[in-house]
C-alpha cells in the first residue's frame, strides 16, 4: 500500500502544531467524551494489563493514558504540542508525559510491550514514518493498536459535516497540504497500512460510537473550538459561508434528535491492531 504523505511536511506540521496549541482545551471539552468510547477497544486490542510497559503516541488530553494507568500499566504519553501535554499532565498527574514527534520517537528500539495511538495517525505529515516508529520501539511480540474515524457516509457525523461544507464552502482554501484525513478509514486500507509497516496478525474492528449534543449548533461549534483541519477550512471562509454551513448542519442533524431533546450523532471508528 502507498501511504499518502504531506507534500510540504514542515508547513503541515507547523499548521497542526499551531492548531493543537490553540484548541487543546476545546478538544478535551468537545471530543473527550466521544474518543473515550474507543478506549476499551484500543486497550483490549493492544492487550494492555497490569505491568504492561505502554507508549501512548499522540496522547492528547490523556484519555488512553488514564485508562491504561488504571489497569496498572506503566504508561508513557507523548504529544508534539506543549499545551496538550499540560492538559494531559493535569488530567493524569501520575503518568509521565513527554513532548515529542510521533515520526521520530525519542526511545530505543524494543522499549515497549504495547503502543497505542488514538486518532493521532491521521494528524501527522508522514503517517508511514509514524507507524514504522511505533513498530521500531515495540519489543518483539509486542502489540500496536491505533484508531481512526470511519469513512464519511450520509449516516454519520463526518458525512453530515462534509456534505454541508462541500455544498456551501470553498474547499480549495489555501491550507498546507496534508495526507488524506480518511485514507485509513476503510478496514482493508487500515489493515494494509499496518501490514505494509511490518505488523502481523492484524485485526480491524469497527467501534460504534455516538456523539451527544444538547443543541443543533453544537456540532459546528465543536469543530471550531476543538478541531484542526476542518476548523482551519471553516476559518478560511467568510462569516456568511460559515453561517450557511452551520444552517445546513442544523437542518440535517434533526434526523438524530431523540425524544428527550438530545442529538445523538453516529461517529463510528475503526481500531486496527497488529503484532511485531
Amino acid at each position: 500500500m502507498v501511504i499518502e504523505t504531506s507534500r510540504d511536511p514542515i508547513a503541515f506540521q507547523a499548521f497542526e502544531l499551531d492548531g493543537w496549541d490553540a484548541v487543546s482545551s476545546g478538544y478535551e471539552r468537545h471530543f473527550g467524551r466521544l474518543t473515550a468510547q474507543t478506549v476499551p477497544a484500543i486497550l483490549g486490542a493492544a492487550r494492555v494489563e497490569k505491568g504492561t510497559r505502554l507508549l501512548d503516541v499522540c496522547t492528547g488530553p490523556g484519555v488512553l493514558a488514564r485508562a491504561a494507568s488504571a489497569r496498572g500499566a506503566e504508561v508513557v504519553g507523548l504529544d508534539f504540542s506543549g499545551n496538550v501535554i499540560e492538559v494531559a499532565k493535569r488530567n493524569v498527574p501520575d503518568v509521565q508525559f513527554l513532548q515529542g514527534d510521533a515520526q521520530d520517537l525519542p526511545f530505543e528500539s524494543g522499549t515497549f510491550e504495547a503502543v497505542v495511538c488514538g486518532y493521532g495517525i491521521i494528524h501527522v505529515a508522514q503517517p508511514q514514518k509514524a507507524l514504522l516508529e511505533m513498530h521500531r520501539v515495540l519489543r518483539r511480540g509486542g502489540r500496536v493498536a491505533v484508531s481512526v474515524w470511519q469513512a464519511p457516509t450520509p449516516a454519520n457525523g463526518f458525512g453530515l459535516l462534509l456534505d454541508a461544507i462541500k455544498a456551501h464552502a470553498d474547499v480549495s482554501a489555501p491550507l498546507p497540504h496534508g495526507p488524506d484525513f480518511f485514507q485509513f478509514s476503510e478496514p482493508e486500507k487500515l489493515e494494509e497500512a499496518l501490514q505494509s509497516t511490518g505488523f502481523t496478525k492484524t485485526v480491524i474492528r469497527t467501534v460504534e460510537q455516538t456523539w451527544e449534543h444538547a443543541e443543533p449548533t453544537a456540532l459546528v461549534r465543536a469543530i471550531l473550538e476543538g478541531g484542526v483541519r476542518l476548523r482551519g477550512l471553516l476559518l478560511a471562509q467568510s462569516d456568511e459561508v460559515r453561517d450557511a454551513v452551520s444552517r445546513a448542519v442544523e437542518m440535517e442533524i434533526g434526523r438524530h434528535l431523540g425524544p428527550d431533546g438530545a442529538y445523538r450523532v453516529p461517529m463510528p471508528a475503526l481500531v486496527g491492531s497488529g503484532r511485531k
Side-chain angles (χ1 to χ4, degrees):
M1 175 186 181
V2 177
I3 298 177
E4 185 182 8
T5 63
S6 170
R7 292 193 292 267
D8 190 345
I10 294 175
F12 179 73
Q13 185 156 329
F15 166 77
E16 283 276 337
L17 180 56
D18 287 346
W20 288 112
D21 279 346
V23 305
S24 54
S25 295
Y27 180 86
E28 178 186 23
R29 184 169 62 253
H30 292 292
F31 284 85
R33 67 184 187 277
L34 172 60
T35 59
Q37 297 174 47
T38 330
V39 166
I42 296 173
L43 296 185
R47 299 179 186 171
V48 176
E49 56 190 22
K50 185 175 182 179
T52 300
R53 176 71 171 161
L54 171 70
L55 174 63
D56 179 16
V57 180
C58 304
T59 190
V63 175
L64 276 167
R66 177 167 50 199
S69 180
R71 292 189 178 197
E74 300 173 13
V75 185
V76 177
L78 178 137
D79 203 284
F80 74 156
S81 164
N83 287 358
V84 168
I85 287 292
E86 289 307 310
V87 173
K89 287 180 176 178
R90 182 194 70 216
N91 290 337
V92 203
D94 57 339
V95 163
Q96 179 187 14
F97 291 101
L98 304 174
Q99 188 172 0
D101 186 354
Q103 302 157 124
D104 185 18
L105 294 172
F107 306 104
E108 296 293 330
S109 300
T111 300
F112 297 96
E113 296 169 302
V115 176
V116 295
C117 183
Y119 303 100
I121 198 66
I122 53 180
H123 289 286
V124 299
Q126 299 171 295
Q128 184 173 24
K129 286 185 68 174
L131 288 170
L132 287 169
E133 279 291 273
M134 293 181 209
H135 186 275
R136 180 184 66 80
V137 301
L138 271 176
R139 74 173 192 182
R140 187 168 298 278
R143 295 191 64 81
V144 71
V146 302
S147 61
V148 299
W149 301 110
Q150 197 178 69
T153 73
N156 66 36
F158 273 116
L160 190 160
L161 279 165
L162 291 174
D163 283 350
I165 289 170
K166 289 174 183 176
H168 298 283
D170 176 10
V171 296
S172 63
L175 301 177
H177 173 264
D180 179 1
F181 192 77
F182 297 105
Q183 69 170 316
F184 308 121
S185 295
E186 297 174 8
E188 61 275 14
K189 292 181 179 179
L190 180 55
E191 185 165 41
E192 287 176 14
L194 291 170
Q195 291 177 350
S196 71
T197 48
F199 295 102
T200 63
K201 300 186 184 301
T202 50
V203 176
I204 311 298
R205 174 184 172 187
T206 300
V207 182
E208 301 296 341
Q209 304 178 142
T210 302
W211 205 4
E212 185 173 319
H213 298 284
E215 52 192 41
T217 58
L219 191 58
V220 172
R221 187 167 66 251
I223 296 300
L224 288 172
E225 295 179 2
V228 175
R229 276 208 250 183
L230 282 181
R231 173 180 180 266
L233 181 58
L234 288 173
L235 291 179
Q237 313 299 317
S238 67
D239 291 343
E240 291 77 13
V241 167
R242 282 196 298 276
D243 287 344
V245 170
S246 186
R247 286 194 299 270
V249 170
E250 288 178 47
M251 289 181 61
E252 290 300 315
I253 203 173
R255 296 185 284 115
H256 303 292
L257 178 62
D260 59 353
Y263 297 86
R264 294 181 176 86
V265 182
M267 293 288 288
L270 299 178
V271 172
S273 61
R275 182 175 180 269
K276 180 174 179 179

